[in-house]
Amino acid sequence: MTPGLLRHTLAHLAPDASWPDEPEALLAAIERHADAHPGDAVWTQLLLAANDLAVEAPELPGGLRARELVRVDPYSTTWTALDADGGHWLVRTPRPDATPVHRRILERDRRGLAGLVAGLTSDDATLAAPAPGTPLEEASIPQGDVVRVLADALGLLARWREAGLGPGVPHPEELRIHDGRLRIVSLTPSTPGGTGLFDAVVRMLPAMPEGPVERFVEGLRALEPDPAEARALFQRALAEALGQHAVDLRRRHVLAAANDRRGRLHRAVGALARTLQPPSGRGPIGYDLEGRATHVASDGETVTWGAGAAVPLFADGDFDAPEARRFLRACATSPTRPEGADGDPAVTDALGRWVSAGLKLRTVRLLLEKA
């Protein structure tokens, strides 16, 4: 019996009752309910369990100091403990009234658990094992570690089953995360089985993105599969998840390659536009609608055109696209150059070709930016 299991049962039997935290007060509260149900075997068993749990911390060997009661059985109690250096331990010690038969049971349990619980020691029928790390229910498990924790749970359970044992329903202190790996520090062997362990592990896992592993975890929450069946389903879920991951990586590789080509082309277009600056000079175009002579002029950085107050069509390294198109239409539709106008018609032709090419590069650049 564990304190958590006792409280769970009490909450189920009397959901409206408020149960105190102190063991002695809890025992008194349960006895009051048992008085209201004379002869009820369930309340009698709960009263006996509460009486077992209301025990004082024992003196432990090896300089260990008992802290919290983890579980009780008819001949032993299990506690969390601290050593002289502040290290965490789990200790299972015989009750004061334990008989030699009980002590030999504890010694046999130690031999059965020797290959399953790391660092397990025994001193006068008291079993002790280091409990490093953090209890699973208090640990913050990143989503990336969920698969590893599940794999650890299945692997540990398989080892217990091969030994003909099971960890039973683990107390929160018995299920720990150390260096990112799951550890079971259970000193009370049970019959083979995995439902209790699965429930305890799955209940503590964070929400996962939708996928095969997430569906497997939800299946564990809803069903109680045989451990061997759960392991096969887990392997199938991993295979499916790896397949989807491979497809996703391939898709991302193709997109990255396309984006890389697009990026190189975009940089090349930009470099070409910056390299080919407008030719310098001044040239005539024609006449505007008011009969005034129009010109185009460039100083090698800025291009202006029009009659009277010239309008920039290229400045600060970029085009004013509407003005540039009006300039090209004006060049295409003017039948003659103004007679006697200052400027070189060859400059007009050169600037016309440069503006036309520059607008095409601008269009390509914009298309690449939106792709």
Side-chain angles (χ1 to χ4, degrees):
M1 174 63 70
T2 67
L5 182 57
L6 175 61
R7 290 188 172 276
H8 176 78
T9 307
L10 291 173
H12 177 73
L13 285 177
D16 297 329
S18 177
W19 301 104
D21 295 327
E22 292 298 324
E24 293 294 341
L26 179 63
L27 175 61
I30 294 175
E31 189 151 20
R32 287 193 296 270
H33 279 76
D35 288 341
H37 300 82
D40 189 315
V42 174
W43 281 105
T44 299
Q45 291 299 319
L46 291 175
L47 182 61
L48 292 173
N51 185 59
D52 286 340
L53 291 169
V55 296
E56 294 184 0
E59 293 290 334
L60 300 178
L64 296 174
R65 302 188 306 277
R67 298 185 63 206
E68 177 187 353
L69 181 64
V70 170
R71 67 172 68 245
V72 297
D73 57 54
Y75 49 88
S76 69
T77 57
T78 302
W79 300 78
T80 62
L82 291 177
D83 60 21
D85 298 323
H88 290 262
W89 290 70
L90 281 173
V91 182
R92 184 183 177 201
T93 186
R95 292 189 174 197
D97 58 351
T99 67
V101 172
H102 296 149
R103 291 174 176 272
R104 288 195 293 271
I105 291 174
L106 287 169
E107 178 58 28
R108 280 192 290 271
D109 285 351
R110 182 196 65 79
R111 295 202 306 268
L113 296 171
L116 302 173
V117 179
L120 179 62
T121 62
S122 176
D123 184 353
D124 192 23
T126 295
L127 311 185
T134 307
L136 176 62
E137 70 174 6
E138 299 175 10
S140 176
I141 303 175
Q143 287 187 350
D145 290 346
V146 169
V147 170
R148 183 168 57 190
V149 172
L150 282 172
D152 286 344
L154 290 168
L156 291 169
L157 185 59
R159 289 179 57 199
W160 282 72
R161 286 171 60 84
E162 290 171 2
L165 303 173
V169 179
H171 184 278
E173 290 288 344
E174 297 173 335
L175 213 53
R176 310 184 71 83
I177 294 291
H178 178 57
D179 290 338
R181 306 305 298 265
L182 180 68
R183 295 183 65 168
I184 302 175
V185 189
S186 177
L187 306 182
T188 306
S190 180
T191 55
T195 300
L197 176 63
F198 281 152
D199 291 344
V201 172
V202 170
R203 191 170 60 249
M204 300 302 165
L205 296 180
M208 298 184 61
E210 184 178 354
V213 177
E214 184 268 344
R215 291 192 293 271
F216 170 76
V217 172
E218 290 304 315
L220 288 182
R221 289 192 173 107
L223 305 174
E224 297 181 359
D226 177 82
E229 180 184 1
R231 193 170 190 178
L233 291 173
F234 182 59
Q235 291 172 346
R236 188 183 308 168
L238 283 183
E240 186 178 349
L242 287 173
Q244 291 184 2
H245 189 54
V247 172
D248 183 59
L249 285 177
R250 176 60 182 167
R251 179 183 62 81
R252 290 165 59 184
H253 173 73
V254 171
L255 289 176
N259 288 335
D260 187 53
R261 290 194 297 270
R262 188 181 300 114
R264 291 200 302 270
L265 180 57
H266 183 272
R267 291 190 294 272
V269 169
L272 181 62
R274 290 190 298 272
T275 301
L276 299 179
Q277 293 299 308
S280 300
R282 177 182 175 88
I285 300 174
Y287 297 94
D288 62 11
L289 295 177
E290 298 177 1
R292 296 177 301 175
T294 57
H295 297 80
V296 61
S298 169
D299 61 3
E301 294 182 357
T302 302
V303 181
T304 59
W305 83 289
V311 178
L313 62 87
F314 179 82
D316 299 326
D318 199 6
F319 283 96
D320 182 334
E323 286 296 332
R325 294 189 186 97
R326 280 193 285 271
F327 162 70
L328 292 177
R329 285 195 297 271
C331 290
T333 56
S334 293
T336 60
R337 306 294 186 196
E339 293 183 3
D342 60 327
D344 185 354
V347 172
T348 303
D349 293 336
L351 284 171
R353 289 192 298 272
W354 183 88
V355 170
S356 178
L359 287 179
K360 291 178 182 178
L361 284 177
R362 178 179 179 275
T363 300
V364 172
R365 177 174 58 82
L366 293 176
L367 289 174
L368 289 172
E369 290 175 354
K370 293 181 178 181

